[in-house]
Amino acid sequence: MKKIEAIIRKSKFVEVKAALHKVEVNFFSYWDVTGVGNEKEGHVYRGITYSTSEIQRRYLSIVVNDDFVEKTIDAIIKSAATDKVGDGKIFILPVEDAYRIRTGEKGGQSLN
């Protein structure tokens, strides 16, 4: 099992969620976060300069069985990309074990 953590543009969340459902990743947690990025210059809109180094993002936390890792990553990349600086990051972490509280199921079965 792996935990996939993705930080994406808030504006791309609906597309990412639909792409994840399409590859049968139907459960994940998410929350709004603010981060500091590498981009130093701001964007000008109607004469006002907005900082793009501190911008609202959505943080996704997804735990999947090993056979779902690649298709989950592909779904996120394809649906979240705008080809501009600030599209986000994906991190993959090992998950030692998982339990379904209701039934006591353990391991990969608890994710179904």
Side-chain angles (χ1 to χ4, degrees):
M1 289 180 291
K2 302 286 188 229
K3 180 177 185 183
I4 300 169
E5 296 180 344
I7 302 167
I8 63 169
R9 294 177 184 271
K10 219 171 165 181
S11 61
K12 298 297 276 181
F13 177 71
V14 172
E15 292 171 56
V16 171
K17 183 171 78 169
L20 289 171
H21 287 310
K22 193 172 186 178
V23 296
E24 299 178 3
V25 175
N26 295 312
F27 178 81
F28 57 90
S29 299
Y30 67 91
W31 51 97
D32 294 332
V33 296
T34 302
V36 177
N38 290 328
E39 189 173 357
K40 302 298 182 219
E41 60 187 66
H43 288 258
V44 178
Y45 178 73
R46 294 188 180 189
I48 300 172
T49 302
Y50 293 91
S51 170
T52 53
S53 66
E54 295 178 12
I55 195 159
Q56 293 291 312
R57 299 282 184 239
R58 190 141 287 166
Y59 183 97
L60 305 160
S61 177
I62 310 162
V63 178
V64 296
N65 285 314
D66 290 342
D67 56 332
F68 271 79
V69 172
E70 287 305 316
K71 63 175 132 180
T72 303
I73 292 167
D74 289 344
I76 295 169
I77 289 173
K78 288 176 183 171
S79 60
T82 66
D83 295 326
K84 296 180 183 167
V85 173
D87 278 350
K89 300 273 193 259
I90 299 173
F91 306 98
I92 312 300
L93 298 92
V95 173
E96 190 171 317
D97 215 342
Y99 292 85
R100 184 186 311 268
I101 294 172
R102 179 177 51 88
T103 62
E105 289 173 286
K106 180 180 176 181
Q109 291 292 90
S110 68
L111 300 179
N112 299 331

